[in-house]
Amino acid sequence: MAAAELPKVAVVGYPNVGKSTLVNRLSGTREAVTHAEPGVTRDRKEVPADWNGVDFVLVDTGGVDLADERELSQQVREQARQAMGDATVVLMVADGTAGLRPGDAELADLLRRAPVPVLVAVNKLDRGSDAPASAEFHGLGLGEPVPVSAAHGVGTGDLLDRIATLVREHAPGPGEWDAEVRLAVIGRPNVGKSSLVNAFLGQERVIVSEEAGTTRDAIDTRLEADGRKLVLVDTAGLRRRSKVAGTVDYYAQLRSERAAERADIALVVCDATEGVTSQDLAVADLAMRKGCATIVVLNKWDITRTDLEDAKHRVASKLRLRPRVLTASAVTGRNVARLIVEAVALAGRARGRISTPELNRFVAEVMSERQPPAVRGRRLRIYYATQVESGPPRFRLYVNDRRLITRDYGYFLENRLRRRYRLEGVPLDIQFADRERGARRSTPRAEVRRS
């Protein structure tokens, strides 16, 4: 784990006091999942924020109920404890409409022994006339409480002033974390994504449970691997939208899709005991449409006898990107380090450039290997090729008439390009332009190929 990070403000409190809503209000984002249902937040969710020139990170946590002995509640409490252990400031949130509750007093007793400053925000006081209700929370022994309304923004400026004052002395210099690679771990529910993230980090950073759908936020974690800076993103399991419409999982789904859109590389995690399913292929297809380079990971390899060659053939025949298929076990650690190495290498190739002379030599070889088919008595000629963008790569080929491009020949060129320059799993955009008129046409965008 990297040490040079922004100061962290751990936001803790009893379940359903409005912590996530307050995090969104203070950060000016909608990063944290909010819902009327209690217990929505489970893992630690880090959201960057700033106020009056002070940068810091708000760490949203699950509700802490010290009296709840269920296993998932214990894991949520452990995540909150870790957040408090890493924090520069702890912000305890209470529900002003419910008054001082035993759960608040138990948490305050724990926080009074904390080695860092603690602020108390009394939430859900929507009108200025409600502010006196916060006086009751003086009894927590954590200083003067700040009356706020996360829903309406009342009092949040005063709260941010106090947060900024406490973290100002811990603010870093101008050199912020600049990640070289954003790596999203995506997949359908209960395939071991969170276990794999914890194996990467060597610690229980995210909650792991046999209950499907435990992860609901897209959890960003910074780390270094062989001197390379990465941001690792654990995501909620992806389902068909029709199955999660109207539930809290719908918002988790949106955040997972957005995480894939912001990532450089997607590790599409599959359950090796089930092989590569049609839903796994749909997740990989989503990553491609978001412009994300892809590696397919068969997790739980320690407890399966899945035919690896059959899985590779299925992926190659169904997915246009032809991503590599790797095996791993988050439980035993098998191939875990290799996944990071392969992901970083793939990101480098996706951002690389092929020189124009080399690209034109490649095109000449491909044309000699297989001539384009004649269309209405005319045959395609490629005069010149160049790479115009990288990350992901975009190529432009100047031809005599782009209407002579057939779907099959466009795929043939794309597949040869992947094979020559090791671009398996990288989304490619190949444009064909008429040399005379400069008109362009991209290769057919059929995302999923069928055998």
Side-chain angles (χ1 to χ4, degrees), residues 11 16 21 107 142 165 179 183 230 234 244-245 312 361-362 425 433:
V11 183
N16 212 32
T21 305
L107 180 57
L142 295 172
T165 298
L183 176 60
L230 297 90
D234 185 25
V244 296
K312 289 181 177 179
R361 282 193 294 270
F362 160 77

Side-chain angles (χ1 to χ4, degrees), residues 245-316:
T247 69
V248 65
D249 292 323
Y250 174 77
Y251 303 100
Q253 175 109 353
L254 292 181
R255 282 161 172 79
S256 295
E257 293 178 8
R258 190 165 64 183
E261 189 172 347
R262 293 184 293 116
D264 300 299
I265 305 293
L267 294 182
V268 179
V269 183
C270 311
D271 187 336
T273 61
E274 301 177 17
V276 180
T277 69
S278 58
Q279 193 173 349
D280 295 325
L281 295 173
V283 172
D285 179 55
L286 168 69
M288 186 197 77
R289 288 187 279 109
K290 300 295 184 182
C292 196
T294 304
I295 296 174
V296 174
V297 180
L298 292 176
N299 190 28
K300 307 182 184 180
W301 195 250
D302 54 310
I303 57 173
T304 186
R305 295 183 179 179
T306 296
D307 188 332
L308 180 58
E309 293 305 316
D310 179 70
K312 289 181 177 179
H313 174 74
R314 179 169 171 78
V315 168

Side-chain angles (χ1 to χ4, degrees), residues 17-242:
V17 296
K19 297 182 295 298
S20 298
T21 305
L22 186 58
V23 166
N24 286 343
R25 173 67 67 175
L26 297 179
S27 63
T29 69
R30 299 181 66 181
E31 286 292 322
V33 176
T34 60
H35 199 271
E37 173 189 330
V40 169
T41 303
R42 294 168 177 176
D43 294 297
R44 288 172 279 162
K45 171 69 174 177
E46 298 186 359
V47 182
D50 66 272
W51 185 255
N52 289 339
V54 178
D55 295 320
F56 52 93
V57 174
L58 295 166
V59 185
D60 189 21
T61 65
V64 176
D65 184 355
L66 297 176
D68 191 340
E69 295 301 324
R70 291 177 299 174
E71 181 181 359
L72 184 58
S73 295
Q74 293 177 11
Q75 291 177 305
V76 169
R77 286 199 298 272
E78 181 57 31
Q79 289 291 313
R81 286 193 181 99
Q82 291 185 28
M84 290 186 282
D86 294 339
T88 302
V89 176
V90 174
L91 175 62
M92 177 181 168
V93 184
D95 185 344
T97 61
L100 186 59
R101 295 178 290 189
D104 297 322
E106 292 169 357
L107 180 57
D109 183 59
L110 178 67
L111 293 177
R112 280 195 295 271
R113 297 189 292 272
V116 297
V118 179
L119 293 172
V120 177
V122 184
N123 191 26
K124 304 186 182 180
L125 302 180
D126 297 340
R127 297 183 299 272
S129 58
D130 295 333
S134 66
E136 180 183 7
F137 292 86
H138 278 281
L140 295 175
L142 295 172
E144 183 177 355
V146 182
V148 299
S149 170
H152 301 286
V154 176
T156 53
D158 294 336
L159 179 59
L160 282 167
D161 284 339
R162 294 181 62 175
I163 292 173
T165 298
L166 291 173
V167 304
R168 192 183 303 275
E169 61 188 66
H170 301 280
E176 294 184 6
W177 184 281
D178 184 17
E180 295 187 18
V181 178
R182 288 189 64 88
L183 176 60
V185 182
I186 65 176
R188 55 193 174 89
N190 220 26
V191 294
K193 299 183 296 299
S194 296
S195 297
L196 200 56
V197 168
N198 288 338
F200 288 144
L201 300 173
Q203 61 168 288
E204 295 297 315
R205 173 61 181 86
V206 287
I207 293 174
V208 176
S209 173
E210 292 183 1
E211 176 187 335
T214 300
T215 303
R216 284 174 171 169
D217 275 305
I219 308 300
D220 289 13
T221 306
R222 297 172 174 84
L223 70 151
E224 283 192 16
D226 295 331
R228 302 289 295 274
K229 293 181 178 181
L230 297 90
V231 172
L232 188 64
V233 187
D234 185 25
T235 64
L238 290 164
R239 304 173 173 90
R240 292 188 181 91
R241 283 199 180 185
S242 58

